Structures are given as structure tokens and as C-alpha cells.
Amino acid sequence: MLIIADKGYVSRELDHFLAERGVRLIRPSYRNRTPHPGEPLLKAVRQLIESVNDTLKGQLDLEQHGGRTIEGVGVRIAQRLLALTAAIWHNRATGQPVTRSLTAYDH
């Protein structure tokens, strides 16, 4: 298993705990430390995650979900994730230049 994390997850105890369970943790290194293998890939992954989060908050109004219970919030989040996934799939299948854009579906 591979976990990608922020540089706030720096701890010998955490590293030891995860290593015992066969989990590999990739996170950015501090400036005074040697970079970890695979670290150059983190910037692209983080940009993707931030872009998806921005789409969920902006175009899909995730912050104003309207759920009143934990189950309701879960359903509303699932609806938005499924809508975004469907839009990305459709945009890729139809050769759209920007796959995460939902502008064509805003009515």
C-alpha cells in the first residue's frame, strides 16, 4: 500500500508504525533533508487533488451540501463525486481539451 501525504506527517513513530505493516509513505521532504524516492511526482499529484477539490467546492457546491445527518452528508458527497467522475469520463470519451471542466453542464 502507498500513502501520499503532506509534509506535516513527519514522525519516526509514524514511519515505524507504517513500515511494520508494509505501508509506504511518500511526503515532501523538508529543505534540510534528503529528498525521498518518488518525491518529484508529488507536485503533479497535489495539483490534481487541489484541482478536483476546487471543482467540488466551486462548481458542485460541496461546501453548501444541505445534508442534515451524517448519512445525508455522505449521500450528498457521493452524488457530487459521481457527477464529477461521470463528467470526467464523458469529457475524455468525447476528446474535450479540459477533462475536469463542468462548464458545459452548468445550466
Side-chain angles (χ1 to χ4, degrees), residues 35-94:
H36 300 291
E39 191 173 327
L41 301 172
L42 292 178
K43 186 174 183 179
V45 170
R46 182 169 185 133
Q47 282 181 323
L48 175 65
I49 291 168
E50 293 298 331
S51 175
V52 168
N53 285 342
D54 187 56
T55 301
L56 288 169
K57 287 180 186 179
Q59 290 183 322
L60 296 175
D61 293 327
L62 187 61
E63 291 182 323
Q64 283 84 34
H65 50 71
R68 298 176 189 265
T69 64
I70 294 295
E71 294 81 11
V73 172
V75 167
R76 304 288 171 86
I77 291 170
Q79 288 172 337
R80 285 156 173 85
L81 289 172
L82 288 170
L84 181 58
T85 302
I88 290 170
W89 173 84
H90 182 266
N91 289 341
R92 282 189 179 171
T94 58

Side-chain angles (χ1 to χ4, degrees), residues 6 9 11 13-15 17 26 29 31-32 34 42 45 61-62 67-69 78 82 84-85 95 98-101 104:
D6 200 320
Y9 291 92
S11 138
E13 294 83 19
L14 177 62
D15 291 343
F17 178 83
I26 297 179
S29 298
R31 291 183 191 127
N32 61 350
T34 307
L42 292 178
V45 170
D61 293 327
L62 187 61
R68 298 176 189 265
T69 64
L82 288 170
L84 181 58
T85 302
V98 180
T99 58
R100 285 186 303 278
S101 175

